[in-house]
Amino acid sequence: MKPYTQILLALLFAITSTRGELKDATKNFDSKIRLKLAIYPQSPGESDVPDIIVEDATRTIEVLYNWRTWFETGGNIRIDTSGWIEYGIPNGYRWEGGIALFQDDAIKSRPVVINELYATAPLGNTDLVLGRAIQRNTVSVLYPLADRYIARDLNDPTDPKILGIWQARADYYRNDWTYSFAALPIFQPSKTPGIESRWWIQRVEPIIGEPIPPVTTGRVDRIVPDVSVENMGLLATIRTRQQGWDFFTTAYSGYSPYAVTRTDTPTPDEFVVTVEYLPGFDWSVGVSTVFDALELHSEALYHHTYSGDDDDYINALIGLIWRSEKLAEWLHCNQVHLTTEYAREVILAEQKVSSGYASSSEPFRLGRNTLFTELLLEVTAKDLVSAAYSHNFAEGNAFAQLRGSHRFSNGFRLELVGEVFAGSGLYYGTWSNNNRVYLNFEYNF
């Protein structure tokens, strides 16, 4: 029996073996609907891949409905679930039909997603968690570099969604400490824009070191590890919070979320680029503390690839959040938050020459030499304004975003967002034609 089948049977047993108070699921039900209207002043430009029609709509519309709820069974077992329904126009480049409850190897978004479905059973000082859940692993805000044990839907890269991961986990609590151990039977890669999307990288040369030959037909494939005991990930975490300090350390053995790249020419007129995931070991640590109006945080991650077919590296970050009451008073705002983070990567051992791959995962790893900043102003309880800026020194490109929102008394929220990309290279530079303005209409109920 496959690992994910065992997890599903155990989860169904937890739900059905005791009498659930389903009326609590209705009482605890929370949902939100959002309408997103986007305008792109420029066309995305031509793709590196011949014969591919890139989606070039100047106006798009998307509808997203989120929901979550929970209830407890007669045996004090808590059942949590969440998900969403999403669709838009144009849709062919963005969404793929069907529901993928277990491993989803499609790079396109799904219109219907059951994102979390898990049971929590208390057993003394231990909680046993079984199912598809989200487990965060970070203390940072703008660039969560150690938060690698979730997947993300990045088909809209500046508005990503976090995807739950199937797991069997035990959380043991002792005083101010939490000790967690999890088996991750299904490797779930993040979803990335496909070659028909305007958010695709457009040019493969920055990744593989050469363009697709003009006389060939290009194709991009992705190899996702099979679901098997051999491909299972293992995760162990220690956390504590005491006297104004937060701390975690995590060890992980399993597949890396960043892929390496190979190239092949199966026929003279065909050029295939394949991305492939490799197993390795991670060790991460994070700490944060507060001094009056200043919160300081830092985290770092060491990665080692077992085969040597990818780089070994350390990715580290330092950051702060400044909450100034005097500045808020001067600006006549309720609150002012300034967040700044700087991430840097050091490669300890480069991908071995004999690997057979055209590129390591380095082009895909953000935060190699990057500054992230955000200024948030809560003008009133109903009005928010923010400005964010990210500068990638490694490639010489940047991203800026302005937001303004107002919440009406009837529960509706209106948000206006403007985004600008500048420079060249991955990632922000390849999206220089994707400057946009969009409106979000939200309603919580």
Side-chain angles (χ1 to χ4, degrees):
M1 185 179 294
K2 293 183 178 181
Y4 64 77
T5 305
Q6 295 173 337
I7 287 182
L8 180 60
L9 290 176
L11 181 59
L12 290 175
F13 177 79
I15 296 174
T16 59
S17 61
T18 54
R19 185 177 60 187
E21 297 293 338
L22 293 180
K23 63 181 181 180
D24 290 340
T26 303
K27 182 179 67 175
N28 299 323
F29 195 84
D30 185 28
S31 62
K32 178 178 69 175
I33 189 167
R34 184 188 75 179
L35 176 66
K36 181 176 180 178
L37 305 173
I39 298 176
Y40 296 87
Q42 297 174 281
S43 64
E46 295 182 356
S47 170
D48 234 0
V49 181
D51 304 324
I52 293 297
I53 300 176
V54 179
E55 187 279 315
D56 61 353
T58 57
R59 295 173 179 83
T60 63
I61 180 171
E62 302 170 14
V63 178
L64 172 65
Y65 171 70
N66 282 286
W67 57 269
R68 68 170 52 250
T69 189
W70 63 273
F71 65 93
E72 289 188 353
T73 69
N76 293 325
I77 296 176
R78 172 167 166 157
I79 308 297
D80 285 76
T81 183
S82 69
W84 60 77
I85 301 173
E86 180 185 35
Y87 213 57
I89 300 174
N91 60 68
Y93 76 99
R94 171 75 183 273
W95 289 276
E96 180 169 321
I99 299 176
L101 186 58
F102 297 108
Q103 187 181 59
D104 187 358
D105 58 1
I107 62 174
K108 294 182 180 180
S109 302
R110 300 285 184 178
V112 180
V113 176
I114 301 175
N115 196 41
E116 291 181 288
L117 179 60
Y118 63 94
T120 304
L123 187 64
N125 292 339
T126 303
D127 284 343
L128 302 179
V129 180
L130 184 68
R132 185 174 183 176
I134 294 173
Q135 185 179 19
R136 305 303 301 269
N137 190 68
T138 186
V139 294
S140 59
V141 179
L142 303 179
Y143 175 56
L145 71 86
D147 201 19
R148 298 161 59 113
Y149 315 114
I150 53 176
R152 291 177 171 85
D153 186 341
L154 299 167
N155 276 286
D156 189 340
T158 65
D159 187 18
K161 298 180 184 66
I162 294 177
L163 303 174
I165 298 297
W166 286 96
Q167 58 193 271
R169 191 178 84 236
D171 298 330
Y172 173 70
Y173 305 97
R174 183 176 178 86
N175 299 325
D176 297 323
W177 295 81
T178 302
Y179 305 86
S180 299
F181 179 81
L184 312 178
I186 301 175
F187 173 72
Q188 177 58 58
S190 292
K191 292 178 172 290
T192 56
I195 58 178
E196 303 97 343
S197 171
R198 71 181 302 139
W199 293 102
W200 193 59
I201 58 174
Q202 305 300 331
R203 299 288 180 265
V204 299
E205 186 172 1
I207 296 177
I208 63 175
E210 60 177 316
I212 294 178
V215 296
T216 63
T217 299
R219 190 177 82 240
V220 179
D221 292 339
R222 181 167 75 161
I223 298 177
V224 179
D226 294 332
V227 178
S228 65
V229 175
E230 293 77 12
N231 291 336
M232 180 181 298
L234 299 175
L235 181 71
T237 303
I238 301 173
R239 300 179 184 276
T240 187
R241 173 178 292 181
Q242 47 187 309
Q243 298 181 350
W245 290 83
D246 287 356
F247 170 81
F248 79 86
T249 183
T250 297
Y252 167 77
S253 178
Y255 280 87
S256 169
Y258 298 116
V260 295
T261 309
R262 72 167 71 248
T263 60
D264 191 19
T265 52
T267 62
D269 60 349
E270 188 177 18
F271 189 87
V272 180
V273 178
T274 304
V275 294
E276 184 176 338
Y277 300 90
L278 301 177
F281 171 78
D282 293 344
W283 176 49
S284 59
V285 60
V287 62
S288 68
T289 189
V290 177
F291 296 98
D292 297 326
L294 194 64
E295 187 254 36
L296 301 175
H297 57 267
S298 178
E299 66 186 53
L301 179 139
Y302 162 73
H303 174 76
H304 167 69
T305 304
Y306 295 137
S307 63
D309 290 336
D310 195 10
D311 303 326
D312 292 351
Y313 56 86
I314 293 177
N315 192 198
L317 172 146
I318 56 173
L320 62 85
I321 303 175
W322 180 47
R323 301 174 175 89
S324 174
E325 294 183 1
K326 291 184 178 180
L327 182 58
E329 292 176 1
W330 183 71
L331 294 173
H332 302 286
C333 294
N334 288 352
Q335 296 184 65
V336 175
H337 294 177
L338 174 63
T339 304
T340 301
E341 294 176 346
Y342 175 72
R344 186 66 184 253
E345 178 187 279
V346 176
I347 296 178
L348 303 178
E350 293 185 348
Q351 178 189 57
K352 64 184 183 183
V353 178
S354 60
S355 69
Y357 292 97
S359 170
S360 71
S361 64
E362 182 179 11
F364 300 110
R365 301 195 301 259
L366 186 64
R368 292 186 290 121
N369 185 7
T370 312
L371 175 70
F372 305 88
T373 61
E374 182 183 58
L375 177 64
L376 175 65
L377 283 70
E378 182 184 288
V379 183
T380 69
K382 295 183 177 180
D383 298 286
L384 292 174
V385 177
S386 69
Y389 177 76
S390 176
H391 194 101
N392 181 10
F393 296 100
E395 301 292 342
N397 50 52
F399 165 65
Q401 182 188 78
L402 293 175
R403 289 180 177 266
S405 67
H406 175 77
R407 186 175 299 279
F408 297 90
S409 56
N410 58 3
F412 280 95
R413 178 173 174 265
L414 176 64
E415 181 181 49
L416 177 64
V417 184
E419 296 177 340
V420 176
F421 303 87
S424 61
L426 296 175
Y427 281 94
Y428 305 138
T430 61
W431 297 331
S432 58
N433 283 18
N434 287 352
N435 299 336
R436 63 177 178 175
V437 176
Y438 59 90
L439 278 171
N440 286 330
F441 299 87
E442 294 182 358
Y443 181 63
N444 290 270
F445 55 98

